[in-house]
Amino acid sequence: MKPKGYTLRLATALTLISLLVLVAIQPAAAATGPICDQFGTTTQGNYVVMNNRWGTSATQCINVTTNGFQITQQDGTGNLSGAPVSYPAIYIGCHYGNCSPNSPLPRQISQISTANTSVNLTLTSSGTYDAAYDIWLNADTNVSGVQDTEIMIWLHYQGSIQPVGSQVGTVSLAGRSWQVWVGNNGQNNVVSYRTTGATSFNADAMVFVRDAITRGSNFGTTAWYLTSMQMGFEPWIGGVGLAVNSFSATIGGGGGGGNPTATRTPTPGGPTATRTPTPGSGGGSTCSPVNATITAPFTRDGAGTFCWQASNLGAYINSWNLASLTVNGVNFTNRYAFTSSLPAKINGFWYVRYVGNFPWSHFEAR
């Protein structure tokens, strides 16, 4: 899994490739219960919960609950002048190619009106750690590796630790005063907002995104993409008992209308891709009439209903603000999906049915 916003992350490209291989072969864990595997993950409704023990070989275990998780074992020790040992977290969006079910991300920042989120935490009086959101921005929709900018929102910290870089001022956002820290960890730029003592938080995370990108185009622009919103803990020492009791996030559409996309709530067994009841050859169904033959890279924005056939959809498809998107009868509405996960072609083609109701409805194949 992707290491956090600190120096001393992955030293070489070979190490990064090794991590990606580990992620690719990591078996899925149960929806609830313990995870001790280094990069073990499970889906929790429309979220992903990850152990993400990236910075130590010592054991770490979390217990996944119906609404979050709790750290039950953490034996590592981090450098108090450098990196923590891990970032166990729950998230919506895509992280190292692992996307939450029905993910509304990545989405272009200009097309997001709000990113309302809430969390309730259990903190501990022992150990050295922070409790923080991690929000990732990227110049494009590639979510397979390191993203370009990391925005951290520290709700609490304990011990002699600090964010990446140096403090450049303070700002008032979401009803609180925050220290603002800016730096680079050797892989990406980092903007951190730090307060302490918050066991619950309810705010529009876009106020932090918009503040961050005003601090220089190297931190992002409205043409960049929000790729994930994560909430968890960075332990340096200890951390047993830290818990995310509940977490939610809602991504609101842009284009001036502020129309919300689906709210992501932690209901176990959330929706997955389902086939329509009209079968065709190859185990799926076509659409008709076919309006055009498309090939990646391909982008469509706007209202309308279309049926396309494609023999090449590139590496992935993605959509947002659509009423419906199906591929050979399988629902991929407002989801990021690798083409390897698409249903089998029918007579050499995927049949893509697009239904958009807004000027900012969007589909892409790249």
Side-chain angles (χ1 to χ4, degrees):
M1 302 297 291
K2 186 171 185 300
K4 298 296 292 104
Y6 288 86
T7 56
L8 303 177
R9 294 191 177 186
L10 302 177
T12 67
L14 179 60
T15 304
L16 177 58
I17 292 170
S18 298
L19 282 179
L20 291 176
V21 170
L22 284 170
V23 172
I25 64 176
Q26 175 61 51
T32 60
I35 299 177
C36 296
D37 294 326
Q38 183 175 13
F39 299 111
T41 67
T42 186
T43 57
Q44 191 58 275
N46 286 306
Y47 301 94
V48 173
V49 180
M50 62 182 178
N51 195 30
N52 200 14
R53 174 177 57 82
W54 64 268
T56 179
S57 60
T59 299
Q60 175 177 285
C61 297
I62 61 174
N63 184 56
V64 180
T65 65
T66 57
N67 295 314
F69 69 93
Q70 183 177 51
I71 300 177
T72 57
Q73 183 175 352
Q74 199 296 100
D75 298 337
T77 300
N79 179 356
L80 295 182
S81 298
V85 299
S86 63
Y87 182 62
I90 183 170
Y91 70 85
I92 187 173
C94 299
H95 179 80
Y96 265 60
N98 188 14
C99 298
S100 58
N102 301 306
S103 174
L105 304 174
R107 182 176 300 180
Q108 199 166 43
I109 294 170
S110 64
Q111 297 298 310
I112 302 174
S113 59
T114 57
N116 292 323
T117 183
S118 65
V119 67
N120 180 268
L121 305 172
T122 294
L123 305 176
T124 65
S125 58
S126 62
T128 300
Y129 65 89
D130 68 56
Y133 276 86
D134 215 7
I135 298 172
W136 292 94
L137 309 181
N138 208 47
D140 57 35
T141 57
N142 185 349
V143 295
S144 62
V146 177
Q147 305 293 275
D148 293 323
T149 291
E150 178 182 22
I151 300 171
M152 298 201 73
I153 306 173
W154 287 32
L155 301 181
H156 180 70
Y157 66 96
Q158 186 164 286
S160 57
I161 53 175
Q162 66 181 43
V164 172
S166 57
Q167 185 178 350
V168 297
T170 60
V171 67
S172 180
L173 296 171
R176 284 179 173 266
S177 179
W178 307 81
Q179 297 176 356
V180 182
W181 294 64
V182 172
N184 184 286
N185 57 37
Q187 291 185 315
N188 49 259
N189 292 314
V190 185
V191 182
S192 300
Y193 300 87
R194 185 168 79 160
T195 189
T196 194
T199 58
S200 62
F201 185 67
N202 191 334
D204 177 7
M206 287 304 296
V207 300
F208 295 91
V209 173
R210 295 185 181 109
D211 182 84
I213 65 178
T214 64
R215 298 179 182 276
S217 59
N218 55 316
F219 296 110
T221 71
T222 58
W224 282 30
Y225 293 82
L226 173 64
T227 59
S228 72
M229 290 177 57
Q230 309 177 9
M231 178 65 219
F233 304 99
E234 292 185 309
W236 275 258
I237 301 171
V240 172
L242 294 170
V244 172
N245 302 314
S246 64
F247 172 79
S248 66
T250 306
I251 308 300
N259 295 283
T261 62
T263 301
R264 309 301 170 192
T265 55
T267 304
T272 58
T274 55
R275 295 188 180 274
T276 62
T278 306
S281 60
S285 62
T286 63
C287 55
S288 63
V290 174
N291 302 111
T293 298
I294 64 172
T295 189
F298 174 82
T299 300
R300 170 70 193 192
D301 293 283
T305 299
F306 304 95
C307 174
W308 303 308
Q309 63 180 20
S311 59
N312 174 21
L313 288 175
Y316 67 87
I317 63 170
N318 193 21
S319 62
W320 52 81
N321 290 325
L322 289 182
S324 175
L325 183 86
T326 60
V327 180
N328 289 2
V330 180
N331 180 20
F332 288 93
T333 307
N334 300 327
R335 289 180 53 193
Y336 179 101
F338 291 106
T339 51
S340 59
S341 69
L342 299 181
K345 293 178 181 178
I346 300 174
N347 299 324
F349 291 102
W350 285 298
Y351 290 86
V352 181
R353 185 173 186 270
Y354 169 111
V355 181
N357 294 333
F358 310 109
W360 51 90
S361 297
H362 178 86
F363 168 77
E364 63 187 21
R366 297 184 184 276

